[in-house]
Amino acid sequence: MTDPTPILPPEAERICFAAMQLARGRLVGMPTETVYGLAADATNAQAVAAIYAAKGRPAFNPLIVHAPDLAVAERFAHFDAEARALAQAFWPGPLTLVRPLRQGSGLASLVTAGLDTVALRVPAHPVAQSLLRAFEGVVAAPSANPSGRISPTTAQHVIDGLDGKLAAVLDAGPCTVGVESTIIGWREGQPTLLRPGGLPAEAIEAALGRPLARLAASNDHNPDAPGQLSSHYAPRAALRMNATAPRPAEYLIGFGDVAGDDTLSESADLTEAAARLFDVLHRADHTGQPIAVAPIPDHGLGRAINDRLRRAAAPR
Ligand code: TXA
Ligand code: MG
């Protein structure tokens, strides 16, 4: 049995308690102006893996990193003049910017699902702001609902879906915006609407002084269909799954009893394997050898790991 998750009023002491839970790698329900987020320390790979386990997501979609202000956001990504202008116009608020990742910034690779870009947002909600300041860090936070269910706009919604899987939920009443943030990325230098959301595209276009590019294919970026994003990280090398021994020249990524050149988890722990997945794949790819991966059980986080491995194994 898991303990029921406490719903806490957003008082200074409780916010400090929630920040301590984040620092210990636990999950916290965080009110924002858009929807309630399922927050974890974005630099702690095991904590980020726990987000996917709690949501039961069958795939690793990159997550939004929440920062208290632009200066902190710039520690994790590169901003050009146009991105900075949007941040200055609309942050804090329901806008997410996808920017080139700053190498060595310390974000867990699971947050970006191995991509070299990162989605960043500065929430306007005073309780989210207080939590980020008390934590003195940045949090990865998808909406705090089980995969496939609608996004939570009250603390009770969070409990209805995820009771026992979080250390606490801060209850700040209903969210005022009620839909997720608008996501803007840059494609070949063009600001592009990746997800419509709480900030109208027209307001962004007015601030930019030019129209936003839209995605041609409707399934190119569909947050409700995990894995439909075209820009998935995939190793350059060929990848073979369910390998119990390496073939000549192969680099074997082990799991549990299958020892390899490297391992996702010697103790066959799926949370550890998820936390290590993208770092291990990047290292394997750097060797230039074809990659083989040991069998991964297809339950819990293993499903998302296998989904990602199948994509990497698919002929390109
Ligand atoms: O309002 C919101 O944005 C809420 C609250 C909690 O802040 N958060 C939220 O997160 O909606 P999530 O994880 O459900 O949505 C993340 C979206 C996904 O559609 C994902 O594909 C996109 O952001 N995304 C994240 N990183 C990306 C990247 N590097 N490139 C392109 N898209 C990215
Ligand atoms: Mg969601």
Side-chain angles (χ1 to χ4, degrees), residues 34 37 57 62 64 66 98 117 119 121 141-142 180-181 183 195 221 223:
T34 59
R57 264 199 191 177
I64 296 172
H66 297 66
V98 176
T117 55
R121 155 163 139 77
E180 275 93 345
S181 60
I183 306 182
R195 178 178 77 179
H221 187 101

Side-chain angles (χ1 to χ4, degrees), residues 6-12 14-15 18 28-37 123-131 152-159 168-178:
I7 297 185
L8 307 178
E11 298 157 355
R14 313 301 182 98
I15 291 171
V28 169
M30 172 177 77
T32 85
E33 67 277 25
T34 59
V35 299
Y36 275 72
H125 198 292
V127 176
Q129 279 286 332
S130 301
L131 180 63
T153 52
T154 66
Q156 189 59 47
H157 292 162
V158 178
I159 295 300
V169 182
L170 290 166
D171 183 359
C175 302
T176 53
V177 176

Side-chain angles (χ1 to χ4, degrees), residues 37-256:
L38 180 58
D41 179 354
T43 64
N44 179 335
Q46 294 260 1
V48 176
I51 290 179
Y52 289 97
K55 283 183 72 89
R57 264 199 191 177
F60 294 125
N61 241 17
L63 304 173
I64 296 172
V65 173
H66 297 66
D69 56 38
L70 173 60
V72 172
E74 290 204 50
R75 298 216 291 262
F76 298 91
H78 299 282
F79 282 67
D80 62 8
E82 195 165 54
R84 209 168 278 133
L86 285 186
Q88 274 155 0
F90 298 112
W91 279 358
L95 173 68
T96 293
L97 300 176
V98 176
R99 298 300 307 163
L101 181 64
R102 206 179 270 285
Q103 292 307 320
S105 65
L107 282 186
S109 61
L110 192 56
V111 170
T112 59
L115 297 174
D116 56 9
T117 55
V118 57
L120 285 153
R121 155 163 139 77
V122 173
H125 198 292
V127 176
Q129 279 286 332
S130 301
L131 180 63
L132 289 167
R133 304 267 174 210
F135 175 51
E136 296 181 327
V138 292
V139 300
S143 52
N145 52 282
S147 185
R149 301 257 296 270
I150 57 168
S151 297
T153 52
T154 66
Q156 189 59 47
H157 292 162
V158 178
I159 295 300
D160 291 346
L162 297 172
D163 192 19
K165 295 180 173 167
L166 298 81
V169 182
L170 290 166
D171 183 359
C175 302
T176 53
V177 176
V179 295
E180 275 93 345
S181 60
T182 302
I183 306 182
I184 302 294
W186 278 260
R187 301 204 160 180
E188 285 144 22
Q190 294 298 306
T192 304
L193 181 66
L194 298 180
R195 178 178 77 179
L199 181 66
E202 292 79 4
I204 299 168
E205 291 176 326
L208 286 170
R210 62 166 168 161
L212 287 167
R214 315 281 161 138
L215 295 175
S218 60
N219 71 343
D220 196 28
H221 187 101
N222 182 351
D224 299 324
Q228 291 302 296
L229 191 67
S230 63
S231 52
H232 273 303
Y233 165 73
R236 283 161 300 168
L239 185 144
R240 183 169 71 88
M241 296 175 68
N242 299 312
T244 47
R247 292 176 184 158
E250 271 182 348
Y251 181 94
L252 179 63
I253 296 172
F255 179 84

Side-chain angles (χ1 to χ4, degrees), residues 273-289:
R276 288 171 53 80
L277 178 66
F278 291 101
D279 291 331
V280 168
L281 282 177
H282 274 287
R283 274 202 298 275
D285 209 20
H286 275 299
T287 66
Q289 293 167 252

